[in-house]
Amino acid sequence: MATIVEVARMAGVSTSTVSHVLNGTRPVRPATRKRVAAAIEKTGYRQDAVARAMRRSRTDSIGLVVSDAGEPAFAEMVHGVEHAAAARGLTLVLANSAEDPEREERAVSTLLARRVDGLILAHCADSGRAVSTRLDADDARPVVLLDRVFDGSPHDQVGADNRETMRRLVTHLRGAGHRRFLLVAGDQRVPTLAERRQGFRDAIPDAELGEQTIVDSVDTASVRADVVAALRTGGATCVIACSTPLAVVGLECLRDAGIATPEQIAFAAFDGFSHSDLFRPTITTVRQPAFEMGEAAVSLLMDRIATPEASPRTLRLNQRLELRESTEDYRFREAESAPIA
Amino acid sequence: MATIVEVARMAGVSTSTVSHVLNGTRPVRPATRKRVAAAIEKTGYRQDAVARAMRRSRTDSIGLVVSDAGEPAFAEMVHGVEHAAAARGLTLVLANSAEDPEREERAVSTLLARRVDGLILAHCADSGRAVSTRLDADDARPVVLLDRVFDGSPHDQVGADNRETMRRLVTHLRGAGHRRFLLVAGDQRVPTLAERRQGFRDAIPDAELGEQTIVDSVDTASVRADVVAALRTGGATCVIACSTPLAVVGLECLRDAGIATPEQIAFAAFDGFSHSDLFRPTITTVRQPAFEMGEAAVSLLMDRIATPEASPRTLRLNQRLELRESTEDYRFREAESAPIA
DNA sequence: CTGTTAGCGCGTTCAG
DNA sequence: CTGAACGCGCTAACAG
C-alpha cells in the first residue's frame, strides 16, 4: 500500500496538505485538492487506520462481548450492533465469552488493549461485577451493558421489559383458566431470568403462590430432572420456559413423557424459536427485540462518548407477546370437541 | 493507561528491556525481570495493541465478512471463527454485507485499512469477482473464502460437500419411491445453491430429468409464485428446498395450500431449522457443519500466513443427512393406514 | 545480558 | 493557503 508520503510527492505537496484534503480539516485551494485527489486515485492510497488511531488516539471501533454467539437471540444482537456501528463508520470487534467469566475477562482485556472507543457487554452468568468495576478502574472507557442489565449499575444499559411482559403473559394465561404453572426459570444469577421470574410472582396472587412450581436449577441435567419430577407430580396446566434453552429442555421432557401440547398441557416460551408459525405445535412466545437492542446499545454508547458526564441511562425495549396454539384455552377446546351430552 | 516508558523508569531499566520481558524475545536476568514484572503490576500496564501493530506491521486480528449475520448458519460460522481466532490469540473484526455487493466492498476496504492480518469472506450473491480480485491487486492480504466457494478460485476455500450430499439425499428419496421432485433451488449465482442443484441432476436419470420441476427465481415473491404454480400443476411427490429461507417459503406455500407433510407430500431442506426434533413435522435436513467451517477457515488462513507460497486448498466438510418423518415413505404409510381390502 | 536510537504512518502544532 | 517537524507507543537493529 502506498503511504501518504508517496501521495504527497506525486501531487507535489506536503503530507500535511494531503491529510487536510482527506479529512477536510482546513481549507485547501481547489486546484491543489484536485491534484491530491488524482494522486490518491492513481496510487490507490487509503488511510492507514492503525497509524491514524495511533495519532488520534481513537480507533473508530467498538468492542462487543457476548455470552453465547451461537444462540440466535445473541446473534441478532450482534447483527444489530454491527448494523448500527457500520452506519456510523465504526468497525466492530467481536468476542465471545461462552458463559465463562474468565474468558469474558480476557476478552475485555484484549479489547481494551486494542483501544476500542467503547465497549458493549452482555455479561455471562457469574461474571460478578469484577469485570464491570475493573473497567472503571483501569482506564475509563465507555461501557454499555446489553441484555443482562443490573439495578444500580453505573453504566448505560439496554435490556427488555422482561418483568412486565411476563406479567402480561401470566395474566393472559390466568384469563384462559390456568391456575397452576410450572415455571422453568433457569439460572437466577442471570438478570434477565431473575426479572422474568419476578414478573411471574407479580402476576400470581399471594394465596396461589404456594401452589406454583418453579425450577431454577442451573445445569441442564438438573433442570431436566426437576421438570420431569414436576410433571409427574402433576398439577400444573401450563409450562412457561424463560429462555430458548430452557424451552428445549421443557419440550423434550413433554415429548419423552408423551404429554401433548396444547391438548394436555399449555406451553409458552421466552425468546422462543424461529419460524414458529410453520411447525406444530406453534408455540406462544415472548419475542425479544434483539436486533433493536443491539442498535440501541450502539446509540447509547455514542451518546456516552459524546457526553461522558451525562448520568447513566437504562433503556428497556418492549417485547412482543405472540400468542399461538400452544396456549389456547384447553378447557374450551375440550368442551368443543367433547360429544354433546 | 501507563506506557512502557513509565514501567521502564519505575523498574530502572530501558524500554527495550521491558519490551523483551513482555515478549520473551531475548534473555533477561531473572532479577531485572522480577523488577519489571513488579513495575508492570504496580502501574497496571498493558501493551498497547495499536502501537504494537504499528511497529510490527501485524495486528493479530482477522477480518470476517458475512453476507447475512442474522441467518443462524452464518451466526454459527461467525461463532466458529471467533472460537478458533480467540484460541490463537487473534481478535475478530466482524462486518456484514447484508447480501449487498457495495457494502461488501466497503467492508473489505475498511478491514484492509485496519490492516487485519487476513480476511475470511462469505461472498454475497452477486459480488462477482470484483472484490476478490481487487484483494490481490491492492495489497496481497491472505484471503479465505467461506461457504461460498468458487471453482478455480486463487484463494483458499472452505465449503461443504453440497453436491455429494444432495446426490445422497435424492438417491435416498428415490429409494423411497419418489420419482418427481420440486426442487426449490434459489439464486444460482450463489455457488452453494448451484452446487446443490448440480447434485440433484447427478442423481436423476436423464430420462426422468425432464419431468422434474426446478424453481430458481431470485426474489422471495417470485419463488413463492413459482412454487405455488408448481404445486398446483401437481406431479411432484417431494419438495426439496436448498436453503432455510427457501424452505420457509416452501413450507408456507404448503401450509397455505392446505397440503400436509408428509401425508400428501414429502419435504426436505438444506440447512434447515434448529431444534427440528421438537416440532411437527420433523423435517429431513441436510445440516451444515457451520461452526467447524468457521474454525477451518481460520486454520487455512493461519497456514496461508505461515506459508504464503503454498498452492491454494479447497476444503469440503461433510454435511450430515438427518432423516426425519417429513420424508417417510408415503406409499408405505398409505398402505398401512388404508382399510384392509 | 542491557541500553540507545530510529522509525512504523499519520495528524497536528507552529511558522511562513 | 501551505510546509516542516514532532511524536503517538512500541519493537528491532545495533552498540556496548
Side-chain angles (χ1 to χ4, degrees):
Chain A
M1 271 290 288
T3 80
I4 200 172
V5 189
E6 308 174 44
V7 174
R9 192 169 34 213
M10 180 176 296
V13 297
S14 76
T15 59
S16 91
T17 298
V18 177
S19 171
H20 287 300
V21 168
L22 248 32
N23 302 315
T25 175
R26 87 178 173 194
V28 174
R29 200 194 308 164
T32 35
R33 200 184 318 168
K34 271 260 163 31
R35 289 215 312 289
V36 170
I40 288 174
E41 180 73 22
K42 203 169 334 184
T43 54
Y45 167 79
R46 197 167 31 206
Q47 289 180 302
D48 181 326
V50 177
R52 216 147 171 270
M54 181 93 184
R55 191 54 242 240
R56 304 194 313 154
S57 58
R58 279 191 43 192
T59 54
D60 292 327
S61 69
I62 62 176
L64 170 60
V65 184
V66 296
S67 47
D68 188 352
E71 199 57 46
F74 282 116
E76 266 309 307
M77 289 184 218
V78 172
H79 189 183
V81 168
E82 198 282 338
H83 186 79
R88 289 172 168 79
L90 302 169
T91 57
L92 173 62
V93 184
L94 177 67
N96 182 36
S97 67
E99 297 285 8
D100 172 357
E102 199 179 314
R103 286 190 57 181
E104 176 174 302
E105 178 123 13
R106 270 206 304 276
V108 168
S109 204
T110 304
L111 294 176
L112 252 24
R114 286 216 123 73
R115 295 224 222 136
V116 291
D117 294 341
L119 224 44
I120 299 175
L121 229 52
H123 272 302
C124 66
D126 45 357
S127 88
R129 307 197 170 201
V131 169
S132 178
T133 52
R134 223 172 62 88
L135 281 170
D136 290 335
D138 247 30
D139 55 338
R141 288 236 176 282
V143 173
V144 173
L145 266 33
L146 177 58
D147 183 52
R148 312 215 169 152
V149 152
F150 296 88
D151 278 351
S153 158
H155 302 291
D156 293 300
Q157 309 190 110
V158 36
D161 59 343
N162 295 298
R163 188 166 171 179
E164 288 68 24
T165 313
M166 175 63 99
R167 188 162 49 206
R168 246 190 331 136
L169 170 64
V170 176
T171 303
H172 168 81
L173 293 168
R174 285 180 51 81
H178 295 282
R179 286 295 174 275
R180 299 192 60 181
F181 296 89
L182 167 53
L183 185 76
V184 191
D187 188 341
Q188 294 301 301
R189 293 170 305 178
V190 177
T192 322
L193 298 176
E195 290 163 11
R196 289 169 186 175
R197 176 181 177 150
Q198 192 55 50
F200 178 75
R201 296 203 142 140
D202 292 346
I204 302 287
D206 287 348
E208 294 176 14
L209 202 50
E211 299 176 2
Q212 311 306 325
T213 313
I214 298 182
V215 172
D216 57 7
S217 27
V218 170
D219 64 298
T220 304
S222 314
V223 173
R224 190 182 309 277
D226 292 353
V227 168
V228 167
L231 288 173
R232 189 160 300 151
T233 315
T237 62
C238 180
V239 179
I240 302 176
C242 289
S243 76
T244 299
L246 295 171
V248 170
V249 173
L251 289 170
E252 284 172 351
C253 290
L254 290 181
R255 182 192 57 191
D256 297 348
I259 302 175
T261 294
E263 292 79 0
Q264 298 175 267
I265 202 163
F267 195 95
F270 272 67
D271 300 352
F273 304 88
S274 41
H275 311 294
S276 255
D277 286 317
L278 292 175
F279 301 100
R280 291 304 173 77
T282 64
I283 300 286
T284 288
T285 300
V286 174
R287 194 68 68 178
Q288 281 209 57
F291 187 90
E292 290 80 1
M293 284 166 63
E295 289 185 310
V298 174
S299 193
L300 286 185
L301 192 56
M302 292 302 99
D303 290 355
R304 171 65 44 198
I305 291 173
T307 32
E309 304 310 335
S311 53
R313 290 184 290 168
T314 295
L315 237 55
R316 295 260 183 193
L317 302 196
N318 294 327
Q319 295 176 306
R320 233 181 25 251
L321 181 50
E322 301 172 348
L323 296 174
R324 297 206 183 79
E325 65 183 17
S326 71
T327 56
E328 277 178 15
D329 187 335
Y330 64 105
R331 295 167 312 159
F332 180 68
R333 290 170 58 87
E334 275 171 2
E336 242 190 359
S337 61
I340 296 163
Chain B
M1 271 289 289
T3 80
I4 201 174
V5 189
E6 306 174 43
V7 174
R9 191 168 35 212
M10 181 176 296
V13 298
S14 76
T15 59
S16 91
T17 298
V18 176
S19 172
H20 285 120
V21 168
L22 247 31
N23 302 316
T25 175
R26 87 181 174 193
V28 174
R29 198 196 308 167
T32 33
R33 199 185 320 169
K34 272 260 159 38
R35 288 214 313 288
V36 170
I40 287 173
E41 179 74 23
K42 205 168 336 180
T43 53
Y45 168 79
R46 195 169 33 206
Q47 287 179 301
D48 182 324
V50 177
R52 224 153 161 261
M54 180 92 183
R55 186 57 239 240
R56 305 196 312 156
S57 57
R58 281 192 39 193
T59 53
D60 291 328
S61 68
I62 62 177
L64 170 60
V65 184
V66 296
S67 48
D68 188 352
E71 199 58 43
F74 282 116
E76 267 308 309
M77 290 184 216
V78 172
H79 189 185
V81 169
E82 197 282 337
H83 186 79
R88 290 171 167 80
L90 302 170
T91 58
L92 173 62
V93 185
L94 177 68
N96 183 37
S97 67
E99 296 285 9
D100 171 358
E102 198 179 316
R103 285 189 58 180
E104 176 175 303
E105 177 123 12
R106 271 207 302 278
V108 169
S109 202
T110 305
L111 293 175
L112 252 24
R114 286 219 124 72
R115 294 224 223 136
V116 292
D117 293 342
L119 224 42
I120 299 175
L121 230 50
H123 271 303
C124 65
D126 45 357
S127 87
R129 305 198 171 200
V131 169
S132 179
T133 51
R134 223 172 61 86
L135 282 170
D136 289 336
D138 248 28
D139 56 336
R141 290 236 173 282
V143 173
V144 173
L145 265 31
L146 176 59
D147 184 52
R148 312 214 170 155
V149 153
F150 296 87
D151 277 351
S153 158
H155 299 115
D156 293 301
Q157 310 190 108
V158 37
D161 58 344
N162 294 298
R163 189 167 169 179
E164 288 69 24
T165 313
M166 175 63 99
R167 188 162 47 208
R168 253 198 315 143
L169 170 64
V170 175
T171 303
H172 168 81
L173 292 168
R174 285 180 51 81
H178 294 282
R179 285 294 173 275
R180 300 193 56 183
F181 296 89
L182 167 54
L183 185 74
V184 190
D187 188 343
Q188 294 300 303
R189 293 171 303 179
V190 176
T192 324
L193 298 176
E195 289 163 12
R196 289 169 186 173
R197 176 182 177 150
Q198 193 54 51
F200 178 75
R201 296 203 142 139
D202 292 348
I204 302 286
D206 286 346
E208 295 178 13
L209 202 49
E211 300 176 0
Q212 310 307 324
T213 312
I214 299 183
V215 172
D216 57 7
S217 27
V218 171
D219 64 297
T220 305
S222 315
V223 173
R224 189 183 309 278
D226 292 353
V227 169
V228 167
L231 289 174
R232 190 161 299 152
T233 314
T237 62
C238 181
V239 179
I240 303 177
C242 289
S243 75
T244 301
L246 294 171
V248 170
V249 173
L251 289 170
E252 284 171 351
C253 291
L254 290 180
R255 183 193 55 192
D256 297 347
I259 303 173
T261 295
E263 290 80 0
Q264 299 176 264
I265 201 162
F267 195 96
F270 272 67
D271 300 351
F273 304 88
S274 40
H275 311 295
S276 255
D277 286 318
L278 293 175
F279 302 100
R280 290 306 170 80
T282 64
I283 301 284
T284 287
T285 299
V286 174
R287 194 68 67 178
Q288 282 209 58
F291 187 90
E292 290 80 1
M293 285 166 61
E295 289 185 310
V298 175
S299 192
L300 286 185
L301 192 56
M302 293 301 100
D303 290 355
R304 171 65 43 201
I305 290 174
T307 32
E309 302 312 332
S311 54
R313 293 184 288 167
T314 294
L315 236 58
R316 294 261 182 191
L317 302 196
N318 294 327
Q319 295 177 305
R320 235 182 20 253
L321 180 50
E322 302 173 349
L323 296 174
R324 299 209 181 80
E325 64 184 17
S326 70
T327 56
E328 278 178 14
D329 186 336
Y330 65 106
R331 296 166 311 159
F332 180 68
R333 290 172 60 88
E334 274 170 0
E336 245 191 358
S337 61
I340 296 163

